[in-house]
Amino acid sequence: MTEKEWNAKSNPLLVDFAPGRWDYASPPPNTRISSGEFTAEIVVDHKTDPPIFHAIIQQTGSSQIVFWSQARSFEEAEGQTQELLADLSRGSAKVA
């Protein structure tokens, strides 16, 4: 398992579920991102062409889904997810 930690204090920790690196031209493995008390998973749905990337955010330790979105690329899903996680960790976004 590989890990990539972002430099800023409140930025998320990115953990890949599959070893090795991926080429952004092909779908990456499922990815977990954590920030503060929230955890997100970006899950790739390979049943569609092109693949759909589901971003699911939960409060750590809870089964309740705080936010669920879909994106057409990993980069889009990752960017949206990191932004929302940062907002949730700062208290800028409300948990329903």
Side-chain angles (χ1 to χ4, degrees):
M1 193 177 323
T2 62
E3 296 184 9
K4 178 171 66 174
E5 188 167 351
W6 298 85
N7 294 331
K9 183 178 176 184
S10 64
N11 282 343
L13 170 69
L14 176 70
V15 179
D16 313 339
F17 287 143
R21 301 223 174 240
W22 64 82
D23 175 1
Y24 277 99
S26 62
N30 296 340
T31 301
R32 177 174 291 153
I33 304 170
S34 297
S35 180
E37 61 183 83
F38 297 94
T39 302
E41 291 190 46
I42 299 175
V43 181
V44 185
D45 181 354
H46 295 284
K47 295 177 188 170
T48 62
D49 187 25
I52 296 174
F53 297 83
H54 299 272
I56 303 155
I57 299 177
Q58 296 174 290
Q59 200 158 10
T60 304
S62 173
S63 61
Q64 182 179 357
I65 294 173
V66 174
F67 183 80
W68 187 338
S69 68
Q70 294 179 334
R72 293 181 185 259
S73 71
F74 176 78
E75 295 87 353
E76 180 184 353
E78 182 184 34
Q80 291 172 352
T81 301
Q82 287 184 1
E83 188 175 313
L84 185 56
L85 279 173
D87 289 346
L88 286 167
S89 294
R90 284 192 303 266
S92 304
K94 302 275 184 192
V95 176

